[in-house]
Amino acid sequence: MGLAALAISKLRRDNYILKIPPYLSALCILVGVVWLLLLPLNEYSRQTYISENALLPGQVHTYFGGSEQNIFRAYKHEVDALAEASSDDIVKKLGEIFKSAGLKVAQQKYSYISSGKTYAGENVYAILQAPRGDATEAIVLVAAWRNMDNVLNQSGIALVLAMARYFKRWSLWSKDIIFLITSDSKAGPQAWVDAYHDAHSPVSAASLPLKSGALQGAIVVDYPFSHRFESLHIVYDGINGQLPNLDLFNTAVSIAGGQMGIGTSLQQMWKHENTYKDRLRTMLRGMMNQGIGHASGPHSSFIPYHVDAITLQTVGEGWQDEMAMGRSVESIFRSLNNLLEHLHQSFFFYLLMHANRFVSIGTYLPSAMLVAVNFTIMAIALWVQSGRPLPKETVASKPSPKAPNTKKSKDNEKSIESSEIPSETITVERDLFLPLAFVTGTHFVGLVPLYLFNHSSEAMITPTFTAFTLTSILLPHLAAYGLARTFPPTAQHLLLIKALALLFLGMFLSALATLNFSLSLAVGLLLAPLTFIPLRRTHPAVAAAAGLLFNALAPPSVLLAVSAYFKLPVGQLLLEAAFGWDVWGMWTQVVVWCVWWPAWLTGAVLFSTSLMPLKRSVLISKRAGESKKKV
């Protein structure tokens, strides 16, 4: 034990040990990125499969067809006639159609205000009571009057009306079926599902006069044109990166591709050749949607309430008609009708890279964890370094020049010289007040952009962003100058500020990776330069390159890049984010403005401070003075 303790003590005092963490952090980031790039390979991904045996996808014969096609066309003419009608006329007519099929009908009005803009409408829904059920469970068939592209969902509405009439004739249902038609694809579904679970605000949405049992699943139909379609695009991304149970997605793929012969696609990959490149692109597109955390369709509003939901979106022009779409919906509902309990056996955390290929959380999570742990490694190293005195200094007491040159004084000099203490063996007391106050203050400052961008009007959102971007450029330099003038930081203060910022970042991203893997990984990679930002002066060319890179990875810069990728004005993107905050309960903004931006601001201030002359630490000189007094 003595030898082991001695070896550990020597290792702790070894200056070379603190040179390892930067390389170890860089290795963690590199391995994390390589790990992610390996996932599309067959050796690291798996074939999809059905975990819940009760689903039995594609095992029943579907009967939707024949005369039902004439009924569908009649309903489509009714929808065309209502294309330019008012909301009240549309709801009244749809309610009459549902009542004529023998269903109970109800309406719900809603009105949300976001960024000074009002989103109002009225939902209409009907309930088919299960002949073999006790109204304790229900499945929802949804169609929005206008889809996410604000296009009239012509055939989708007609199909839901035809399916309502068709399902009413069957006595095999063990779960109630709710047919929901919303005014739009964003606010309408959220208002209805909030009110269904009594989680709504009476100011924004009316209560539902008619309810059924616990929702077991929801299928959304998006069929906005009249011609035949080529394939089904399955949309599954939920709010804040949540996903439906993988069994529901696999059931839809199995029924569409296996039973109906309809091709399926995801993440807008219309031509997927199942190559490494296509798998990687599909996976990265899914990660981008998950990281942003927005609603990708009406189904997204159901997922936060643990209701598994997907959107079936028709794409292309081919030989598949509305009857094929109807039979697909019928077969999916027959599978959900077989369930004895809520879907739970398959995965809720996964990355899809093909309709038949995925990776689970146990395989992809190490990638984000490795990126997050690099911050923790450097935080620990900086903490240890902050407890050591400045380099090339020793704590030694020198003889007084006034002392007489006697034998006694010479003996004292020899004893003092022999008792010189190497600097690496001394632990300096850490002054934590300034570092804690600074790191805490920067995170509280993040509440300012969070409030501004979520409460600015539509006319002011773009000027607010422009002003904030300019402020973000100047703020680090002003903060560094003000800090140097009021509370001049020592070298130890800078080490502790960086250590605390990295420690908080590592802990937060590690926790976030289990909830929203994509957002955690993206923020971690964008903040990776913070780990290696210098705390002392460097070559001017290196400093200029580091400054440009750090500003290019700032949240406002990345937001401009995202708006360019989606081909949207940055003001429109911020309005969508504010709508998500007010209506969907999206919390991506909290991560951006209260975690990412404060960490970036801390790094930028440290970088600006490194370009200024610093006050030398007085801790060691104090100890030297104490040694002189003792002598």
Side-chain angles (χ1 to χ4, degrees):
M1 288 294 293
L3 293 176
L6 182 61
I8 293 174
S9 178
K10 288 182 178 180
L11 185 63
R12 186 176 65 86
R13 296 195 301 266
D14 190 356
N15 285 328
Y16 290 100
I17 198 70
L18 293 180
K19 296 181 180 180
I20 298 176
Y23 299 100
L24 189 58
S25 294
L27 181 63
C28 288
I29 296 172
L30 180 62
V31 174
V33 173
V34 172
W35 191 297
L36 183 71
L37 297 177
L38 290 176
L39 294 178
L41 298 176
N42 289 332
E43 292 79 7
Y44 297 93
S45 59
R46 288 191 281 175
Q47 192 81 11
T48 56
Y49 57 93
I50 303 292
S51 299
E52 179 57 71
N53 294 326
L55 284 170
L56 298 173
Q59 299 300 310
V60 296
H61 185 74
T62 54
Y63 298 94
F64 186 76
S67 60
E68 303 299 330
Q69 188 168 21
N70 297 326
I71 296 170
F72 168 84
R73 290 173 179 171
Y75 285 148
K76 191 163 66 171
H77 286 300
E78 296 280 1
V79 173
D80 291 339
L82 295 170
E84 302 299 329
S86 65
S87 178
D88 292 337
D89 292 340
I90 293 172
V91 169
K92 182 180 178 181
K93 184 61 179 179
L94 294 178
E96 291 175 355
I97 294 175
F98 280 132
K99 285 181 181 178
S100 66
L103 305 176
K104 295 182 178 180
V105 183
Q107 294 86 29
Q108 180 210 22
K109 291 187 177 181
Y110 63 89
S111 178
Y112 292 100
I113 298 177
S114 177
S115 300
K117 188 177 180 180
T118 301
Y119 300 84
E122 188 172 4
N123 299 324
V124 58
Y125 65 101
I127 298 180
L128 168 61
Q129 293 183 329
R132 297 186 179 185
D134 53 0
T136 58
E137 295 177 336
I139 316 170
V140 190
L141 180 60
V142 187
W145 186 258
R146 292 191 176 274
N147 62 12
M148 294 294 286
D149 298 325
N150 201 30
V151 177
L152 177 64
N153 190 11
Q154 182 185 30
S155 298
I157 300 294
L159 185 61
V160 169
L161 297 174
M163 297 298 291
R165 183 181 181 278
Y166 173 74
F167 283 169
K168 177 64 178 177
R169 300 188 347 230
W170 289 90
S171 61
L172 50 83
W173 304 112
S174 62
K175 295 177 175 58
D176 290 357
I177 299 178
I178 302 175
F179 303 93
L180 171 64
I181 297 179
T182 61
S183 295
D184 62 6
S185 295
K186 296 180 179 179
Q190 190 66 48
W192 188 88
V193 74
D194 284 347
Y196 193 92
H197 294 89
D198 294 323
H200 65 295
S201 170
V203 178
S204 303
S207 299
L208 297 184
L210 194 62
K211 290 186 181 180
S212 181
L215 303 182
Q216 300 298 301
I219 304 297
V220 181
V221 179
D222 185 2
Y223 193 170
F225 44 79
S226 300
H227 58 77
R228 294 170 179 254
F229 64 94
E230 180 183 8
S231 61
L232 286 178
H233 180 237
I234 303 178
V235 187
Y236 58 91
D237 306 287
I239 299 169
N240 295 323
Q242 294 177 288
L243 300 173
N245 190 275
L246 188 57
D247 269 346
L248 180 61
F249 178 87
N250 292 338
T251 298
V253 172
S254 176
I255 289 172
Q259 184 180 13
M260 303 299 166
I262 304 174
T264 54
S265 59
L266 63 154
Q267 302 300 341
Q268 298 182 356
M269 290 290 294
W270 314 124
K271 301 295 181 182
H272 200 301
E273 299 179 359
N274 203 18
T275 60
Y276 172 84
K277 182 180 178 181
D278 287 345
R279 288 183 183 180
L280 182 62
R281 288 179 60 194
T282 304
M283 184 182 73
L284 293 178
R285 288 187 179 188
M287 290 175 61
M288 176 172 288
N289 286 327
Q290 184 186 44
I292 294 174
H294 67 119
S296 56
H299 69 280
S300 300
S301 300
F302 290 85
I303 298 177
Y305 290 96
H306 305 288
V307 180
D308 303 304
I310 56 173
T311 293
L312 302 179
Q313 191 178 69
T314 56
V315 294
E317 188 169 356
W319 58 276
Q320 303 289 350
D321 62 358
E322 59 273 3
M323 294 298 102
M325 182 68 169
R327 286 192 295 272
S328 299
V329 173
E330 178 189 358
S331 188
I332 293 174
F333 269 68
R334 292 285 296 275
S335 293
L336 294 175
N337 188 60
N338 293 336
L339 290 175
L340 301 176
E341 53 188 342
H342 200 84
L343 288 173
H344 67 281
Q345 291 195 16
S346 192
F347 299 95
F348 288 95
F349 299 94
Y350 52 86
L351 294 177
L352 285 167
M353 54 195 65
H354 184 261
N356 297 308
R357 201 133 198 111
F358 80 106
V359 288
S360 64
I361 184 171
T363 306
Y364 67 71
L365 188 61
S367 177
M369 286 298 185
L370 283 169
V371 174
V373 81
N374 100 86
F375 300 112
T376 306
I377 290 173
M378 278 301 298
I380 295 173
L382 292 170
W383 176 265
V384 173
Q385 188 176 349
S386 67
R388 293 186 176 186
L390 292 177
K392 298 182 181 180
E393 286 192 18
T394 57
V395 179
S397 51
K398 298 180 181 179
S400 174
K402 297 181 180 179
N405 189 13
T406 61
K407 182 177 181 182
K408 185 177 179 179
S409 62
K410 290 181 179 179
D411 293 338
N412 286 337
E413 288 179 13
K414 290 181 180 179
S415 62
I416 292 170
E417 290 174 1
S418 62
S419 63
E420 286 187 353
I421 306 172
S423 61
E424 61 269 15
T425 63
I426 300 173
T427 301
V428 178
E429 184 179 357
R430 296 177 177 89
D431 183 10
L432 291 173
F433 176 76
L434 179 61
L436 282 174
F438 182 84
V439 173
T440 305
T442 55
H443 283 86
F444 273 107
V445 171
L447 295 174
V448 175
L450 180 66
Y451 178 84
L452 288 176
F453 293 132
N454 288 329
H455 294 84
S456 296
S457 63
E458 185 176 3
M460 291 300 297
I461 193 76
T462 302
T464 301
F465 175 76
T466 304
F468 177 77
T469 302
L470 295 175
T471 304
S472 292
I473 296 173
L474 298 176
L475 185 60
H477 306 288
L478 296 176
Y481 178 78
L483 195 64
R485 295 283 293 179
T486 55
F487 302 100
T490 64
Q492 186 194 70
H493 286 151
L494 298 182
L495 288 171
L496 288 173
I497 288 173
K498 185 176 178 181
L500 293 175
L502 292 178
L503 182 63
F504 174 78
L505 197 59
M507 291 190 300
F508 181 85
L509 293 182
S510 298
L512 180 63
T514 60
L515 301 175
N516 192 329
F517 163 81
S518 304
L519 182 59
S520 174
L521 181 64
V523 173
L525 291 176
L526 290 169
L527 284 174
L530 179 61
T531 303
F532 310 101
I533 196 162
L535 296 180
R536 59 179 182 271
R537 293 191 178 188
T538 57
H539 192 276
V542 176
L548 289 174
L549 175 63
F550 214 65
N551 282 309
L553 298 179
S557 303
V558 176
L559 192 59
L560 288 171
V562 172
S563 66
Y565 176 82
F566 286 105
K567 298 179 181 179
L568 287 174
V570 68
Q572 183 64 31
L573 196 65
L574 291 171
L575 287 175
E576 291 290 333
F579 178 86
W581 173 268
D582 295 325
V583 180
W584 296 329
M586 193 171 77
W587 44 255
T588 307
Q589 298 96 312
V590 177
V591 179
V592 173
W593 302 121
C594 295
V595 178
W596 178 9
W597 185 74
W600 173 86
L601 179 61
T602 301
V605 171
L606 290 174
F607 180 73
S608 298
T609 306
S610 68
L611 304 178
M612 300 179 181
L614 293 177
K615 173 186 173 184
R616 290 182 62 84
S617 177
V618 297
L619 295 174
I620 299 175
S621 61
K622 285 183 179 179
R623 287 180 175 269
E626 292 174 0
S627 300
K628 290 179 183 180
K629 290 180 181 179
K630 289 180 182 180
V631 174

